[in-house]
Amino acid sequence: MPNFAIIGSGAMGSAVAKRLIDHGATVLTYLEGRSEQTIARAKAAGMVPVGRQELTKAELILSIVPPAEAIKVAGLVADISSEMQAPPPFIDLNAIAPKTMQALAARFEGSGIEVLDGAIIGGPPVPGKPGPTIYISGDTAGRSRLLEDYGLRIRRLDGPIGAASALKMCYAGINKGFIGLGTAMLLAASRSGAAESLKTELSESLPEVDRKLSRSIPDMYSKAYRWVAEMQEIADFLGDDDPAATIFRGMADLFARMADDVEGSRLLVGQLDEILARPDIDR
């Protein structure tokens, strides 16, 4: 029975852990300084809390944290593995830009630790369903095959470190960028008194768009705070010379506003809920 270590016990990290555990693996995690909610989630998934040095007993160490924490986690793993003769490989599975991934990998230079670039596309694993898909690049030795053996869907990319991160940036830019665009326009319609007409037109002429926004926007509220850094990473990925980078910096500001609203007045959320729940619209 292999040991995996997962740093990050949020909705995705704990669900990935449960998938591995359900297929017979043991999953170690480090919970010092984490919230009661995070600790409860990790224990409910069956993860085993250990001291940080014990994480190195795993065959693979996975990082599944918000983008802003990715470099910090890499530093932790580099530190605890520095004295080991054969440290376990480290797989970063966070939504970060290729240049952030390269900076992260640089933290391990001279350590002998094999660093792999990963990207998770899809929601947290759900019992009875095969997803999400985890893309891995830089895996010339096939280290990620062990994850396949324990229930995860792995696709290896031929490209070097940074290729999986680039794929994630492009996919998230389309998917989450679309949700951000829909949110912005629905709020604009609400402010200008055009919300009901917009919803009617969407349901008639773009029913698939209407259905996606009706599902995705409410689901976004609790995640908006995590999407802020991801939008900033996408902007960095595009670069200052690409005018589209400005779009994603704007998306970061939009999601920050939504995150503040969830924690505070909830006025914007209330506006969107009212628009999306109009009874005269056939979804």
Side-chain angles (χ1 to χ4, degrees), residues 36-230:
E36 291 183 8
Q37 182 182 16
T38 297
I39 293 170
R41 189 188 295 117
K43 290 183 176 179
M47 302 170 82
V48 180
V50 297
R52 67 178 203 165
Q53 195 62 45
E54 292 178 82
L55 294 172
T56 59
K57 295 179 180 178
E59 274 85 349
L60 294 171
I61 299 177
L62 314 180
S63 173
I64 308 177
V65 297
E69 297 181 23
I71 296 284
K72 179 181 177 181
V73 168
L76 166 68
V77 175
D79 182 51
I80 63 176
S81 304
S82 61
E83 303 300 322
M84 295 185 67
Q85 290 187 342
F90 174 76
I91 307 179
D92 180 274
L93 294 173
N94 302 307
I96 56 177
K99 74 175 184 180
T100 305
M101 182 64 214
Q102 289 160 4
L104 183 153
R107 300 294 295 268
F108 295 92
E109 287 182 0
S111 68
I113 299 171
E114 186 175 359
V115 180
L116 305 180
D117 176 23
I120 302 174
I121 293 185
V126 174
K129 296 183 179 180
T133 301
I134 298 177
Y135 289 85
I136 305 287
S137 63
D139 190 13
T140 55
R143 305 291 189 189
S144 59
R145 288 196 178 92
L146 191 58
L147 296 172
E148 288 182 286
D149 295 340
Y150 287 85
L152 295 179
R153 176 190 280 177
I154 304 295
R155 290 182 182 169
R156 279 171 288 278
L157 301 176
D158 290 336
I161 284 178
S165 291
L167 173 64
K168 177 65 174 180
M169 294 291 95
C170 295
Y171 183 89
I174 294 170
N175 185 41
K176 295 174 183 175
F178 174 78
I179 296 168
L181 178 63
T183 299
M185 291 300 97
L186 284 167
L187 287 171
S190 179
R191 290 193 299 269
S192 61
E196 185 171 345
S197 297
L198 176 61
K199 274 292 291 174
T200 299
E201 184 58 41
L202 284 174
S203 68
E204 292 176 356
S205 62
L206 295 172
E208 292 185 1
V209 170
D210 181 55
R211 285 192 292 270
K212 179 172 176 59
L213 293 178
S214 296
R215 291 191 307 268
S216 301
I217 290 177
D219 187 56
M220 169 269 293
Y221 300 154
S222 63
K223 305 173 185 177
Y225 76 97
R226 290 194 284 114
W227 290 10
V228 175
E230 191 169 346

Side-chain angles (χ1 to χ4, degrees), residues 5-21 27-29 41-42 45 47 62-65 93-94 120 123-125 152 226:
I6 295 181
I7 302 176
S9 303
M12 180 64 77
S14 60
V16 169
K18 190 173 189 313
R19 173 66 57 83
L20 293 168
I21 291 164
V27 177
L28 312 177
T29 193
R41 189 188 295 117
M47 302 170 82
L62 314 180
S63 173
I64 308 177
V65 297
L93 294 173
N94 302 307
I120 302 174
L152 295 179
R226 290 194 284 114

